[in-house]
Amino acid sequence: MTSTPAVMRRPTNRDPAEGSLPAPVRRRRPLLMAAAVLLGAMVWLIVATGLERASEREQVWSVATEVSRGQVVEQAHLTATEIAVADTSG
């Protein structure tokens, strides 16, 4: 002989004649949305500033050809080169 197991059901506070669940209440949170937008703007500003500082370059002169000791360095021996600059003041 087999018996059907007892099914436990949660008590509900709604009328069984309704047949559907009540519609959920959507709360709007304008302060939370404003805080999220402000946080996004701050993150964007920090990233943009970091990228700008990382891409700072300064033009310097470098030797393009071999120059032996005692030889006078002329304009033909030099070339302009851009290098990344570390900010030592910060």
Side-chain angles (χ1 to χ4, degrees):
M1 245 194 215
T2 60
S3 63
T4 29
V7 177
M8 298 291 291
R9 296 190 183 196
R10 292 185 191 168
T12 59
N13 293 336
R14 61 185 176 96
D15 187 14
E18 282 184 20
S20 66
L21 295 173
V25 177
R26 294 186 68 191
R27 294 188 295 171
R28 296 183 187 259
R29 297 181 180 175
L31 188 60
L32 186 62
M33 289 300 292
V37 169
L38 183 63
L39 179 65
M42 286 176 38
V43 167
W44 176 82
L45 186 63
I46 290 169
V47 169
T49 302
L51 289 175
E52 180 67 28
R53 287 187 179 178
S55 66
E56 286 184 14
R57 301 208 175 260
E58 189 170 312
Q59 191 171 12
V60 296
W61 292 104
S62 61
V63 179
T65 61
E66 187 174 327
V67 178
S68 59
R69 183 180 298 180
Q71 183 180 358
V72 176
V73 179
E74 298 178 8
Q75 183 69 28
H77 296 128
L78 301 176
T79 185
T81 308
E82 289 188 355
I83 61 169
V85 178
D87 185 19
T88 58
S89 65

